[in-house]
Amino acid sequence: MFKQDYIMNQIRNLAKLLVKMVLNKETVTVELRDETSATGQEQLLQTFCRMVEQGQINEAENLLYEELDFEDLEQYEIALAFYLHVNELEDTFLEMHDYSRAEIRDGICDVSKKFSIAYDVSSMIPDLE
């Protein structure tokens, strides 16, 4: 349990650091509101989160890569919000659906590269395996 909490905290801190450095914001601000008032970004995140809750984490991640416009830095926040959402899940749920904390870390690193983030994100968090 301590190891899980430590890793979850490291991932949260990484996302917070990236939001501050890249987007100059204090926190990820994409929220999950009711669908009638949700913006396009919020609707995308809702779709990803719904899939995650149904155990379709890998499929949601694949859809994330298909749907995001990697030329639009504003959408980087959606990717971080997605990985933060997945990070809040219990290890048993992740394992049951063939996903891991290391994949969350790797996903943040990969999506950062796709958005051409200049920072070496992989060096900002220790290897989780």
Side-chain angles (χ1 to χ4, degrees):
M1 184 63 146
F2 177 73
K3 182 178 178 183
Q4 175 185 335
D5 291 344
Y6 172 76
I7 293 169
M8 288 174 72
N9 201 30
Q10 290 295 310
I11 291 169
R12 265 189 231 109
N13 289 339
L14 171 62
K16 185 176 180 178
L17 178 65
L18 289 169
V19 165
K20 181 66 176 168
M21 290 178 4
V22 175
L23 302 173
N24 200 25
K25 294 182 176 184
E26 292 301 316
T27 60
V28 174
T29 57
V30 179
E31 299 174 4
L32 296 176
R33 293 188 274 180
D34 68 72
E35 292 186 28
T36 57
S37 64
T39 66
Q41 286 188 338
E42 292 165 347
Q43 288 175 350
L44 261 179
L45 185 57
Q46 286 173 342
T47 299
F48 302 143
C49 291
R50 224 180 350 265
M51 291 174 73
V52 167
E53 299 304 322
Q54 295 170 357
Q56 300 172 320
I57 305 169
N58 288 299
E59 294 86 348
E61 185 178 44
N62 292 341
L63 186 59
L64 175 86
Y65 278 85
E66 291 171 17
E67 293 294 323
L68 291 183
D69 176 2
F70 294 105
E71 301 295 316
D72 180 3
L73 195 55
E74 299 270 324
Q75 293 195 9
Y76 182 57
E77 193 170 13
I78 295 172
L80 291 177
F82 168 78
Y83 286 111
L84 283 172
H85 178 73
V86 174
N87 187 51
E88 295 305 313
L89 300 171
E90 294 290 327
D91 281 344
T92 52
F93 184 85
L94 294 175
E95 290 169 12
M96 190 171 26
H97 298 288
D98 197 29
Y99 210 80
S100 69
R101 302 257 172 239
E103 287 179 280
I104 297 169
R105 174 197 176 265
D106 293 345
I108 292 172
C109 293
D110 291 343
V111 81
S112 296
K113 286 179 192 171
K114 286 222 172 255
F115 276 102
S116 301
I117 305 302
Y119 307 105
D120 180 10
V121 176
S122 64
S123 68
M124 294 179 181
I125 188 169
D127 191 12
L128 304 178
E129 295 289 351

